[in-house]
Amino acid sequence: MLAFSGPRKLTPQETKQVLNLLPANPPAVGVGDAKGLDALVAEHYTEKTDLTIYHVEGRERWQFAARSQRMVNDATELIAFPNKPCPETCTPTKPFSGHGSGTWGTIAYAIKKGLKVTIYPLDGSQAPSWAEQRQLTLI
């Protein structure tokens, strides 16, 4: 399954950018239940592939991280669209530090789990050194 992660709010330009980068025919797709990228991906792949939407079970911060972890645990690959730099406290050793970006936390967790990860930074920022050392595709 191909999983996706990204921001809860997308500008019109970011929306176009994401739509141009989505793979045409993945056999299965997983995405969270948030607004923004999650909703865009879900709408794009509805009725085109096997789509799984991962829901948050509660409203606590850790429950959002748990949702992302369930998705990554079921995935074979992650495509992520961060729109801000990675928080310094986020690493594969401690992906969800509670101080920043859920997208970067999902990326770090996927790297920790050994998934293939493709990162498309919507803001043009560089990936942290721990991501670059894993030879990720950066565009």
Side-chain angles (χ1 to χ4, degrees):
M1 178 186 78
L2 178 58
F4 290 90
S5 184
R8 290 196 172 115
K9 293 180 183 178
L10 294 168
T11 67
Q13 178 60 33
E14 289 170 340
T15 298
K16 288 178 189 174
Q17 194 176 352
V18 169
L19 289 172
N20 286 330
L21 293 167
L22 293 178
N25 297 308
V29 167
V31 69
D33 61 349
K35 295 177 182 178
L37 183 105
D38 289 357
L40 180 67
V41 168
E43 181 181 336
H44 180 78
Y45 288 113
T46 295
E47 299 183 20
K48 292 181 184 175
T49 189
D50 180 14
L51 175 66
T52 302
I53 297 175
Y54 290 81
H55 296 277
V56 177
E57 297 170 355
R59 302 311 301 168
E60 300 293 327
R61 290 184 113 191
W62 68 267
Q63 291 168 316
F64 289 86
R67 179 221 24 220
S68 297
Q69 290 172 323
R70 284 194 314 275
M71 179 181 72
V72 168
N73 289 342
D74 291 345
T76 55
E77 183 176 346
L78 174 71
I79 297 178
F81 298 90
N83 69 346
K84 59 185 173 183
C86 181
E88 289 184 20
T89 56
C90 177
T91 67
T93 306
K94 191 172 181 181
F96 297 99
S97 62
H99 294 97
S101 171
T103 301
W104 281 110
T106 303
I107 292 166
Y109 185 73
I111 287 172
K112 180 179 180 177
K113 297 292 285 184
L115 269 64
K116 177 183 176 194
V117 177
T118 304
I119 303 171
Y120 297 111
L122 297 174
D123 65 343
S125 65
Q126 291 290 90
S129 60
W130 53 260
E132 292 169 2
Q133 292 170 350
R134 302 290 290 206
Q135 297 184 358
L136 303 180
T137 302
L138 298 175
I139 295 179

